């Protein structure tokens, strides 16, 4: 087979991690904390290297890198170090009456060898965040960063090679064929972040080895704006959540559902917030240092198609629309007059186009959302507790935020992830630790005492009475 990567090196790394993973089963809290501290120390002493690499990939502004790439990882490490002893300690469970005399507990053992496949949009955070959970859980890991952000991928490789022995953590760089080769290895767990389409490929490959999976996927996350709302507050938060990272955020509001009587006011507010945030000196947003670029020309063309297709089918651009192809620049854009025949209303946008559609009653908005795949995130802007409760209880999404958007990613006491098409399994904090752990069920019976002996054959009158009593009383 003609291949551009070293499969023998991958095999050798996998085999050495397999052996290491067995010895890690009884690793102590202190040993795992030490591995996490090494990662924390490297990150803190190489902040400028990390910023430069990510900036080189798609001009992400430094404050965005600090907050959304570095801080989220360092806070995840800090949180894991603080809580690891409690997460690792066996959890006693109570004994039901038919099991009287026995004791039981849950022991958290590392799943073993793990594979982490990362996307390009938060290329540092989404490769290293899951690694924190893997190390906390006592697993080995091979990390495959995205090939679309080569500077960050090289930096991650350098970082891991400087910190860890390859039998504990290794980085394998490369394109789809490398990912596919890695997927043929019998990992114990695969943690994938990326699109639902590739998520299905990952799950099929994992099924060959019955590896468990965490799939952090995407989709169309709605933001509902009720008429009982502080419009200026909602507009600021939507503009930030949508256009940070140039719209290339899995939990960005994909589209807005606004109550029809406040549509025009909301559009005006969004327009002025875009100018306040990205064009305060009125020089043009393309001059702004605070606005990132689309990752490559392929994605720019994909977004341009969404805009052109919607325009051709009757939609209008209410704000923005400027594209500079040579710079992968795509202006913050708002679209109106949309219909379901337009691709922009069917596909995850993953860029700075914000479609705004209207509803007349909350039920109509809920029905619209429920007709689509379950989103990764759902945002509600409303002063009415009744409205937010109704939406929260009548829709399904991986996560939800009331009166803000995107910020739930930073709350590491909450599970982060999707549901069905937007993901399977959860990440962050304790939930990330659990994703990489086997919750082993352990029951200890007293020698010579087992209530179940009375149910052993040969069955007789007493067995019959006991089994009937069990059905009657429990
Ligand atoms: N839920 C989350 O936390 C989260 C976070 C960020 C991005 N996302 C989602 O990720 C998507 C965008 O990222 P992307 O374009 O990098 O995703 P992608 O699915 O194209 O690629 C992700 C990774 O999978 C690998 N890959 C691609 N095709 C593959 C194949 N056929 N077989 C095996 N591996 C393959 C890539 O090399 C890359 O490392 C969006 O859908 C977004 O919503 C989700």
């Amino acid at each position: 087979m003609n291949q551009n990567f070293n499969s023998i090196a991958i095999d050798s790394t996998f085999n050495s991690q397999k052996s290491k993973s067995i010895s890690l089963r009884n690793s102590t809290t202190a040993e795992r904390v030490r591995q996490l501290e090494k990662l924390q120390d490297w990150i803190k002493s190489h902040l400028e290297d990390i910023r430069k690499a990510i900036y080189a990939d798609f001009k992400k502004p430094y404050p965005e890198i600090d907050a959304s790439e570095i801080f989220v990882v360092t806070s995840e490490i800090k949180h894991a170090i603080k809580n690891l002893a409690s997460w690792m300690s066996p959890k006693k469970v109570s004994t039901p009456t038919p099991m009287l005399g026995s004791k039981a507990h849950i022991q958290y053992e590392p799943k073993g060898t793990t594979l982490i496949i990362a996307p390009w949009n938060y290329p540092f955070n989404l490769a290293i965040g899951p690694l924190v959970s893997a190390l906390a859980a006592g697993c080995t890991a091979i990390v495959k960063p995205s090939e679309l952000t080569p500077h960050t991928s090289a930096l991650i490789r350098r970082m891991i090679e400087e910190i860890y022995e390859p039998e504990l953590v290794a980085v394998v760089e490369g394109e789809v064929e490398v990912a596919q080769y890695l997927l043929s290895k019998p990992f114990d767990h695969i943690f994938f972040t990326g699109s639902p389409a590739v998520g299905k490929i990952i799950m099929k490959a994992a099924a060959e080895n019955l590896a468990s999976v965490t799939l952090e996927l995407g989709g169309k996350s709605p933001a509902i704006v009720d008429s009982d709302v502080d419009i200026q507050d909602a507009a600021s938060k939507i503009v930030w959540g949508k256009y940070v990272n140039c719209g290339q955020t899995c939990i960005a509001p994909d589209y807005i559902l606004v109550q029809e009587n406040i549509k025009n006011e909301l559009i005006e507010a969004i327009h002025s917030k875009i100018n306040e945030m990205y064009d305060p000196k009125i020089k043009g947003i393309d001059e702004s240092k605070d606005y990132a670029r689309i990752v490559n020309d392929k994605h720019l063309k994909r977004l341009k198609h969404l805009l052109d297709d919607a325009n051709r089918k009757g939609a209008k651009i209410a704000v923005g629309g400027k594209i500079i192809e040579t710079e992968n620049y795509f202006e913050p854009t708002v679209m109106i007059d949309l219909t379901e025949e337009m691709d922009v209303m069917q596909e995850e946008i993953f860029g700075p186009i914000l479609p705004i559609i209207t509803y007349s009653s909350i039920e109509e908005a809920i029905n619209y959302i429920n007709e689509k795949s379950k989103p990764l995130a759902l945002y509600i802007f409303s002063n009415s507790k009744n409205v937010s409760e109704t939406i929260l209880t009548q829709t399904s999404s991986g996560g939800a935020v009331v009166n803000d958007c995107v910020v739930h990613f930073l709350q590491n006491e909450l599970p982060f992830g999707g549901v069905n098409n937007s993901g399977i399994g959860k990440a962050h904090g304790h939930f990330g630790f659990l994703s990489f752990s086997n919750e082993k069920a352990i029951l200890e019976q007293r020698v010579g005492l087992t209530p179940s002996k009375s149910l052993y054959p040969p069955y007789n009158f007493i067995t019959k009475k006991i089994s009937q009593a069990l059905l009657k009383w429990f």
Side-chain angles (χ1 to χ4, degrees):
M1 193 172 92
N2 189 14
Q3 59 188 27
N4 300 319
F5 62 94
N6 187 345
S7 59
I8 295 169
I10 293 177
D11 292 352
S12 152
T13 305
F14 177 80
N15 291 337
S16 69
Q17 292 203 349
K18 182 94 201 150
S19 311
K20 177 77 178 175
S21 70
I22 293 165
S23 72
L24 283 178
R25 280 187 190 146
N26 59 354
S27 57
T28 63
T29 310
E31 285 162 349
R32 297 186 196 179
V33 164
R34 184 70 207 113
Q35 300 301 351
L36 292 171
E37 282 171 346
K38 286 199 271 183
L39 187 59
Q40 185 82 306
D41 292 346
W42 196 98
I43 293 172
K44 289 198 166 166
S45 57
H46 293 80
L47 293 176
E48 200 53 24
D49 291 1
I50 300 170
R51 291 180 185 128
K52 277 186 186 151
I54 302 173
Y55 185 84
D57 282 326
F58 55 111
K59 291 198 167 68
K60 191 188 285 219
Y62 275 24
E64 285 184 19
I65 294 173
D66 285 356
S68 67
E69 300 274 6
I70 302 176
F71 167 75
V72 288
V73 172
T74 54
S75 72
E76 185 79 16
I77 297 174
K78 203 171 160 195
H79 184 72
I81 290 174
K82 186 172 162 219
N83 293 289
L84 192 55
S86 131
W87 296 345
M88 283 175 72
S89 62
K91 299 277 175 295
K92 274 192 186 159
V93 296
S94 59
T95 306
T97 312
M99 302 300 298
L100 274 182
S102 67
K103 290 190 293 188
H105 69 273
I106 303 164
Q107 190 165 308
Y108 300 92
E109 70 176 23
K111 277 192 177 167
T113 53
T114 71
L115 171 63
I116 296 169
I117 300 182
W120 54 265
N121 63 327
Y122 288 85
F124 187 77
N125 158 4
L126 296 172
I128 306 306
L131 177 64
V132 174
S133 300
L135 289 170
C139 295
T140 62
I142 292 183
V143 180
K144 212 284 291 160
S146 172
E147 67 279 19
L148 300 190
T149 39
H151 297 91
T152 314
S153 176
L155 172 114
I156 290 172
R157 183 182 188 142
R158 186 188 127 208
M159 173 178 85
I160 295 302
E161 285 177 354
E162 286 179 16
I163 308 176
Y164 299 117
E165 296 298 322
E167 59 261 36
L168 179 63
V169 187
V171 172
V172 175
E173 291 184 273
E175 306 205 356
V176 172
E177 56 172 356
V178 171
Q180 285 171 339
Y181 187 76
L182 284 165
L183 286 169
S184 71
K185 310 298 297 174
F187 284 95
D188 295 308
H189 186 74
I190 300 172
F191 190 109
F192 170 79
T193 308
S195 58
V198 179
K200 290 177 191 171
I201 296 171
I202 305 290
M203 200 159 170
K204 279 187 193 143
E208 284 300 313
N209 298 308
L210 289 176
S212 53
V213 290
T214 306
L215 302 176
E216 296 285 339
L217 311 177
K220 292 184 85 62
S221 298
I224 304 158
V225 185
D226 177 35
S227 56
D228 179 6
V229 72
D230 180 331
I231 290 193
Q232 296 303 319
D233 179 73
S236 302
K237 290 166 176 172
I238 289 168
V239 166
W240 175 76
K242 178 70 186 184
Y243 300 112
V244 67
N245 212 34
C246 201
Q248 302 162 116
T249 303
C250 57
I251 46 174
D254 185 274
Y255 63 96
I256 305 268
L257 271 161
V258 59
Q259 201 146 20
E260 58 196 2
N261 57 329
I262 59 159
K263 175 187 157 192
N264 292 338
E265 216 184 319
L266 181 71
I267 293 169
E268 261 174 48
I270 287 177
H271 195 173
S272 64
K273 298 294 173 195
I274 290 173
N275 289 335
E276 276 171 34
M277 287 189 209
Y278 295 109
D279 198 15
K281 296 190 178 145
I282 323 178
K283 284 182 172 174
I285 300 175
D286 48 323
E287 293 292 317
S288 169
K289 297 264 177 292
D290 298 336
Y291 187 60
R293 294 294 181 266
I294 302 300
V295 69
N296 59 23
D297 56 347
K298 185 176 149 228
H299 278 279
L300 190 87
K301 285 198 180 88
R302 181 183 62 77
L303 289 162
K304 191 170 176 307
H305 161 79
L306 293 181
L307 196 73
D308 294 344
D309 172 74
N311 273 332
R312 209 173 35 250
K313 292 173 180 163
K316 289 193 193 72
I317 294 174
V319 180
K322 182 174 170 183
I323 296 168
I324 307 175
E325 291 192 17
T326 49
E327 293 175 26
N328 287 345
Y329 170 81
F330 201 118
E331 192 174 13
T333 298
V334 176
M335 299 203 83
I336 53 170
D337 296 347
L338 297 128
T339 62
E340 290 305 295
E341 288 69 49
M342 299 169 184
D343 290 345
V344 76
M345 295 314 296
Q346 296 302 324
E347 290 172 23
E348 177 183 6
I349 297 171
F350 217 59
I353 304 173
L354 182 62
I356 298 192
I357 56 175
T358 59
Y359 65 87
S360 51
S361 67
I362 286 294
E363 289 66 37
E364 195 187 333
I366 289 171
N367 289 340
Y368 183 86
I369 292 164
N370 286 342
E371 274 166 19
K372 293 190 178 289
S373 299
K374 295 171 192 167
L376 182 58
L378 179 144
Y379 305 116
I380 303 163
F381 291 88
S382 177
N383 293 322
S384 159
K385 189 100 186 128
N386 185 32
V387 165
S388 54
E389 286 293 319
T390 305
I391 298 169
L392 289 173
T393 50
Q394 294 185 25
T395 59
S396 176
S397 59
V401 183
V402 178
N403 288 321
D404 210 336
C405 51
V406 175
V407 292
H408 61 305
F409 193 89
L410 302 173
Q411 213 317 3
N412 42 24
E413 294 289 346
L414 282 176
F416 181 84
V419 51
N420 298 124
N421 197 64
S422 54
I424 292 175
K426 301 291 172 186
H428 292 184
H430 191 201
F431 304 94
F433 170 86
L434 291 176
S435 290
F436 285 92
S437 301
N438 173 33
E439 292 166 84
K440 186 150 82 183
I442 300 175
L443 187 135
E444 291 173 71
Q445 188 64 283
R446 276 164 51 190
V447 178
L449 175 93
T450 172
S452 52
K453 261 189 190 159
S454 43
L455 292 170
Y456 291 175
Y459 304 126
N460 52 29
F461 176 74
I462 295 170
T463 328
K464 200 172 154 196
K465 283 285 164 207
I466 292 173
S467 56
Q468 282 170 354
L470 279 176
L471 292 183
K472 195 167 169 191
W473 287 313
F474 301 110

